[in-house]
Amino acid sequence: MNLLTVNYLTIEALEDGLTASLSVNACEYCVDGDGNWKTLSADTATESINTGHTLSFRGNLTPVYEKGIGTFTISKKYNLKGNCMSMLFGDNAADNYSLSGKNYAFCKLFRNCNNIVNVSSNFLPATTLAENCYQTMFKDCTNLTTAPEIPATTLAKTCCYMMFHNCTSLTTAPTVLPATYVDFSCYEFMFSGCTSLTKAPELPATNLGSSSYAYMFQNCTSLTTAPELPATSLQTYCYQSMFEGCTKLNYIKMLSPTKYPLNAFDNWVKDVSSSGTFVKLPDLTDFPTATSDNTYRGIPEGWTVVDAD
């Protein structure tokens, strides 16, 4: 891939006859990184390209509440490459790593794009996010198998809400979500319904806001091992229904302290495997067994409890 297609949002055709359009906003595109930029009006299709060829896009677009900058419609199967920031910063995308002030930036950008297959690891390079900036970005992309890395360390409320919800073919999630503080509902429903996901991202955060991980892996029916949960500062509903419906889940290592809001764990292990291993801090002696009588808070019933070293 040439430098132009590395630095701009790029669609690589996996089938002949691919066209693309963007709702809400006009932008510019070029074919195969040739630098011959053409204006693309909103809701207007590009020229057609064949397998192995690319369309690159740029703009200096302003997000508009829940419409974001628009939603792509792509007619054939494709991979996403390059840098998504080119839709906001044009030719300066490679120099921008902050979405601060860009609320709803990429909201719904590829929502319901069933033709998307893979997204390159560096597609979302932002290290500072804005409210709702990735909300439902890839929701219901049922053929998506590989997600990009999300290197952001500064988050904002509901920034990744339902980002990959119901991506039923997703097998490769981001390696790690590196933020140490997760704000209100940041990752709520992020991977819910990803029934092919077998490995969750690492979650090193130590400070969790309200509902920060709520429903994050709900109904991930192929997940067997939870990511280690080292957070020591918990707020209400932060783990609510986090693993609800993860019917194969049989290992959780949770290192929270003895003081926590009990509703932080509402339904968090409802309908997980009937047997497994739960690792906890030695001084966490009052954590209940999760049964229907206490809304599935605490340790899953029937699991073996082990103290962490």
Side-chain angles (χ1 to χ4, degrees):
M1 186 182 292
N2 62 36
L3 287 176
L4 189 148
T5 52
V6 167
N7 292 324
Y8 298 84
L9 186 156
T10 296
I11 294 168
E12 178 187 45
L14 299 178
E15 296 179 314
D16 291 348
L18 181 146
T19 62
S21 63
L22 179 68
S23 67
V24 180
N25 276 300
C27 61
E28 293 184 310
Y29 80 98
C30 71
V31 178
D32 290 335
D34 63 6
N36 180 23
W37 293 100
K38 303 169 187 177
T39 299
L40 184 69
S41 300
D43 296 306
T44 302
T46 64
E47 62 194 87
S48 174
I49 62 170
N50 290 330
T51 303
H53 293 273
T54 62
L55 298 170
S56 296
F57 295 83
R58 71 179 182 184
N60 294 98
L61 307 182
T62 300
V64 180
Y65 191 49
E66 290 186 352
K67 293 182 179 180
I69 58 171
T71 299
F72 273 105
T73 300
I74 296 100
S75 64
K76 302 289 183 176
K77 283 186 167 44
Y78 64 97
N79 291 332
L80 278 177
K81 298 186 175 184
N83 185 349
C84 196
M85 302 288 268
S86 69
M87 302 304 291
L88 303 176
F89 301 104
D91 295 337
N92 297 315
D95 299 321
N96 282 275
Y97 294 90
S98 175
L99 292 174
S100 180
K102 305 283 188 181
N103 293 353
Y104 293 94
F106 300 129
C107 176
K108 301 179 183 177
L109 190 60
F110 297 98
R111 183 172 177 172
N112 296 320
C113 281
N114 289 328
N115 285 321
I116 186 172
V117 177
N118 293 322
V119 185
S120 64
S121 62
N122 57 354
F123 186 71
L124 298 174
T127 55
T128 298
L129 303 187
E131 292 184 14
N132 305 93
C133 62
Y134 294 153
Q135 178 180 319
T136 68
M137 186 176 184
F138 297 102
K139 182 179 182 287
D140 296 320
C141 292
T142 55
N143 286 307
L144 177 65
T145 61
T146 304
E149 296 295 329
I150 302 175
T153 53
T154 301
L155 309 182
K157 296 177 181 178
T158 57
C159 55
C160 296
Y161 180 82
M162 281 194 170
M163 187 176 182
F164 299 101
H165 173 72
N166 202 35
C167 289
T168 53
S169 297
L170 189 70
T171 56
T172 305
T175 306
V176 58
L177 299 176
T180 56
Y181 171 61
V182 184
D183 206 342
F184 172 77
S185 292
C186 278
Y187 298 142
E188 188 171 3
F189 288 103
M190 189 175 183
F191 298 100
S192 60
C194 291
T195 54
S196 298
L197 189 66
T198 57
K199 185 177 181 180
E202 295 178 23
L203 301 177
T206 55
N207 190 347
L208 302 182
S210 180
S211 300
S212 48
Y213 290 157
Y215 304 92
M216 189 175 184
F217 300 103
Q218 185 188 46
N219 295 327
C220 287
T221 52
S222 296
L223 193 66
T224 59
T225 300
E228 183 171 316
L229 302 173
T232 55
S233 177
L234 310 182
Q235 299 300 319
T236 56
Y237 306 111
C238 61
Y239 290 133
Q240 181 181 14
S241 296
M242 186 177 184
F243 302 111
E244 181 181 355
C246 295
T247 53
K248 293 183 180 178
L249 188 73
N250 58 27
Y251 183 89
I252 297 173
K253 184 176 183 179
M254 193 275 292
L255 302 178
S256 295
T258 56
K259 293 182 179 179
Y260 51 86
L262 190 57
N263 62 11
F265 297 93
D266 278 4
N267 290 311
W268 82 309
V269 289
K270 183 178 181 180
D271 297 327
V272 298
S273 175
S274 59
S275 61
T277 301
F278 191 92
V279 182
K280 66 173 185 62
L281 292 175
D283 59 352
L284 186 65
T285 57
D286 61 345
F287 206 49
T289 298
T291 68
S292 56
D293 293 335
N294 60 23
T295 62
Y296 298 92
R297 300 165 177 161
I299 300 167
E301 191 171 19
W303 282 30
T304 300
V305 180
V306 178
D307 286 342
D309 294 335

